Amino acid sequence: MAKEKSNSIVKGTLVLIAGNLVVKIIGALFKLPLANIIGADGMGLYNASFIVYDIFLVLSTAGFPLAVSKMVSASCARGNDAEALKIFRVSRACFLVIGLIFTSLMFFGAEMYAGWIGNNRAYLSILTLSPAILFVSLMSAYRGYYQGINDMIPTTISQITEAVCRLVVGLSLSWYLNAAGYDPQVVAAGAILGITAGEFVSTFSLAMIHLRKMRQRTRRPSRQTKPSLSSAKIIGTMFATSVPIGIGTIVISAINALDNVVVMRRLESIGYSQQQANTLYGTYNMAFTVFSLPITIASALIVSVFPVLSYAHACRNYARVNRTASASLRIIVIVGMASAALFLSLSYPIVMLLFFRQPQAARVAAMILTVLAPTAVPITVFMLTSAILQAVDKLFAPTGSSIVGGIICLLCNWVLIGQKSIGIFGAPVGLFVCFTVASILNMATIGRCKTIHLKVRHLFDKALTPAAVMGVTGFAAFRLTLSPLGLFKSAAFSILIALVNYLLVLFLNHTLEREDILLLPKGHVIVRILERLHLLNPRFAPADRL
């Protein structure tokens, strides 16, 4: 059983990573050309609508997917498949009603909310985005159920269909409206319509996949146990589980909304007009779009590991909880440090290539990305430690960490952005401080848990060496080859050199431990190969397997 579950972790993680990479590539094909079409001002309007959308989204779905995933995983751990299915059906009905309510609230109050965030021109984008709340609410039930049974394929398929639809509809409409001479707010709303259409198509695809799976289920025998939970009990447990998680998400979204207001107001206070401040904020979001690309791997790992941790905790298998959490934390730190090194050393060529039609905005975005780069480490650590705490029923701890970090972020932004010599560059500094504090608080809470003993010795220093080599070699290669090769070829060559050196030092330094490699398919084969190449200590410990 343990071996089957381990294989399920691997398959789920790989499916999610592969799917998320495809989604990010499609997303890049959408957002990067979109920025070149509508410019920094249009991107400012585009992102401003998501400030309002995120608030309503978390109010309607906050914590629900994780709650459903946790409940379904616990039911499966008890061998009660019928109860897991009932949890899904009850949650779907609840989410439908909740989604309708919050879609209506966002739609009819769009103009008022645009005024609240200090960006009246974003009204049309907010209006266009409001129906997506309903579709995402419904998707929460489907995704929570399939993540709970560790079947990541439906979630991945729905994400890809959404990304493709968003690409086709959003880019086509924004290009047409821009070519026809419409104002930036109309062009931004056209791009937003692609988001709404994508969420609809994604929900429809999930419903069709589920219908097909249910028909197949009736044709073959399975573990059919009478559900022990009533509908009222399921709803009560779901809300009891989701509220602590949801409070943290709601607080984060509220802080993000306040942060948007703080950024806009403080930029205006040092002499920028509303449109100029919006353009600068759009430039910051251009940098954040690039920054978020490598975080895909971390997100995929966390989504896949959460039900596994919940399952092990429900079975009181604390040794397995510790092994899975420790291995995941090592991988997360490796990914975070590699991302930080990449952006610190090669932010300029990366951003200039991606936003080639907006050279002036791209230069500012490259500088912002350089300042933003170190945040890759604390943000990924915070994401994983929050998932660990939620999986072991420490539901309120990440909420408290989020609140403290968010308040500090607002204070930093208020002080730093209001300085003319700093301006918009204060925003990434505030974000770094926010997630650093929140990560430290999460780790402190984990340290106080009697059932969790993470292996954190030499965690950061081992990951630092390959990341430093990656950054130095990438930067040097770019500077040496820029003149003879040009920007595009030099950037591609530098990234390749940096990655090769990074992987080489990663293994020579023994940064990855045996448990991490055994998470991979044919991990024992990879271990033997690395041992023969003297890239891994020749010591095989079957007990380390998850």
Side-chain angles (χ1 to χ4, degrees):
M1 180 66 184
K3 186 175 181 180
E4 290 177 2
K5 195 68 180 177
S6 177
N7 290 335
S8 181
I9 301 171
V10 173
K11 291 177 182 177
T13 302
L14 291 180
V15 166
L16 273 178
I17 289 175
N20 274 304
L21 285 175
V22 172
V23 169
K24 284 296 183 181
I25 291 171
I26 297 173
L29 292 174
F30 169 69
K31 261 197 166 182
L32 301 178
L34 179 65
N36 286 313
I37 291 172
I38 65 179
D41 183 37
M43 288 301 293
L45 297 171
Y46 176 91
N47 287 290
S49 64
F50 278 92
I51 299 297
V52 177
Y53 172 75
D54 286 345
I55 293 176
F56 281 95
L57 185 64
V58 298
L59 287 172
S60 59
T61 65
F64 287 141
L66 281 178
V68 173
S69 174
K70 188 174 178 65
M71 292 171 66
V72 168
S73 180
S75 295
C76 290
R78 295 191 297 268
N80 199 332
D81 293 347
E83 183 176 272
L85 189 58
K86 183 177 181 180
I87 291 169
F88 158 72
R89 288 170 176 164
V90 171
S91 64
R92 182 177 58 181
C94 286
F95 297 167
L96 174 62
V97 175
I98 293 171
L100 284 170
I101 292 172
F102 283 99
T103 290
S104 301
L105 289 173
M106 182 172 170
F107 181 85
F108 292 109
E111 189 171 4
M112 177 177 61
Y113 306 136
W116 282 358
I117 63 172
N119 204 334
N120 294 308
R121 296 162 65 232
Y123 154 70
L124 194 58
S125 294
I126 296 172
L127 195 72
T128 308
L129 192 56
S130 58
I133 296 290
L134 172 61
F135 305 134
V136 176
S137 296
L138 281 173
M139 275 194 289
S140 297
Y142 288 102
R143 290 179 176 176
Y145 172 72
Y146 283 107
Q147 288 168 11
I149 63 175
N150 219 27
D151 181 359
M152 304 301 175
I153 294 177
T155 296
T156 301
I157 292 174
S158 69
Q159 289 174 336
I160 293 174
T161 55
E162 178 211 336
V164 171
C165 183
R166 177 178 58 193
L167 173 69
V168 174
V169 177
L171 273 188
S172 299
L173 277 175
S174 59
W175 177 84
Y176 169 77
L177 293 171
N178 185 64
Y182 285 92
D183 292 335
Q185 50 264 46
V186 178
V187 180
I192 291 289
L193 190 58
I195 305 290
T196 302
E199 301 294 1
F200 168 75
V201 172
S202 180
T203 306
F204 182 77
S205 67
L206 271 175
M208 292 299 101
I209 291 170
H210 181 72
L211 182 62
R212 182 169 174 267
K213 284 182 175 288
M214 289 301 101
R215 287 174 178 172
Q216 292 174 344
R217 179 191 177 106
T218 59
R219 296 172 190 167
R220 64 174 185 267
S222 61
R223 298 183 299 179
Q224 293 292 340
T225 307
K226 185 178 180 180
S228 59
L229 297 177
S230 65
S231 297
K233 181 66 175 177
I234 290 172
I235 294 173
T237 304
M238 183 174 63
F239 276 94
T241 306
S242 64
V243 166
I245 302 173
I247 289 174
T249 312
I250 291 169
V251 168
I252 290 173
S253 293
I255 289 173
N256 284 339
L258 287 172
D259 188 51
N260 179 76
V261 174
V262 168
V263 170
M264 292 288 291
R265 300 300 188 207
R266 295 302 281 167
L267 287 174
E268 290 173 19
S269 72
I270 57 175
Y272 293 100
S273 66
Q274 187 182 84
Q275 183 170 348
Q276 289 172 329
N278 178 71
T279 300
L280 274 176
Y281 195 62
T283 304
Y284 171 77
N285 282 289
M286 288 166 66
F288 197 86
T289 299
V290 181
F291 172 79
S292 65
L293 294 178
I295 310 301
T296 301
I297 298 175
S299 301
L301 176 66
I302 291 166
V303 171
S304 185
V305 162
F306 179 81
V308 177
L309 290 170
S310 299
Y311 182 96
H313 182 70
C315 296
R316 299 183 182 277
N317 189 345
Y318 301 123
R320 189 166 179 218
V321 170
N322 286 316
R323 289 197 302 269
T324 304
S326 296
S328 302
L329 184 59
R330 282 192 296 273
I331 295 172
I332 283 293
V333 170
I334 289 169
V335 171
M337 289 225 173
S339 302
L342 180 68
F343 293 139
L344 277 171
S345 59
L346 295 171
S347 60
Y348 177 78
I350 291 173
V351 175
M352 291 301 292
L353 283 173
L354 295 177
F355 301 109
F356 60 91
R357 292 189 63 183
Q358 303 289 331
Q360 185 174 354
R363 290 188 185 93
V364 179
M367 291 186 287
I368 293 173
L369 181 59
T370 303
V371 181
L372 191 60
T375 309
V377 178
I379 195 172
T380 50
V381 171
F382 172 75
M383 290 164 60
L384 178 64
T385 51
S386 295
I388 292 172
L389 288 167
Q390 289 161 357
V392 299
D393 295 331
K394 300 291 183 181
L395 302 177
F396 283 102
T399 301
S401 302
S402 302
I403 293 173
V404 174
I407 292 173
I408 292 175
C409 179
L410 289 175
L411 292 174
C412 286
N413 285 349
W414 180 269
V415 173
L416 295 176
I417 297 174
Q419 304 294 320
K420 285 187 177 183
S421 59
I422 299 176
I424 192 63
F425 294 98
V429 175
L431 198 68
F432 175 80
V433 175
C434 166
F435 283 106
T436 299
V437 171
S439 298
I440 292 172
L441 292 175
N442 272 2
M443 290 295 290
T445 304
I446 290 174
R448 291 193 296 268
C449 292
K450 295 180 180 179
T451 57
I452 306 179
H453 304 285
L454 296 181
K455 297 178 181 179
V456 296
R457 187 181 180 184
H458 305 306
L459 180 65
F460 288 95
D461 54 348
K462 278 195 171 185
L464 179 61
T465 303
V469 171
M470 180 188 192
V472 171
T473 55
F475 181 80
F478 175 70
R479 290 300 176 186
L480 291 173
T481 58
L482 178 59
S483 296
L485 297 181
L487 181 63
F488 180 79
K489 291 181 180 179
S490 176
F493 176 76
S494 302
I495 293 172
L496 178 62
I497 290 295
L499 289 175
V500 169
N501 280 282
Y502 176 77
L503 292 174
L504 184 61
V505 177
L506 188 71
F507 289 112
L508 289 174
N509 196 43
H510 303 297
T511 305
L512 284 172
E513 295 189 10
R514 199 172 308 272
E515 300 98 307
D516 312 330
I517 300 171
L518 289 172
L519 279 171
L520 303 174
K522 304 294 182 182
H524 60 286
V525 176
I526 299 174
V527 165
R528 286 202 298 268
I529 293 173
L530 291 175
E531 286 175 349
R532 290 172 184 172
L533 295 173
H534 303 289
L535 296 176
L536 194 67
N537 292 328
R539 179 184 60 83
F540 187 74
D544 286 343
R545 291 193 196 186
L546 299 178

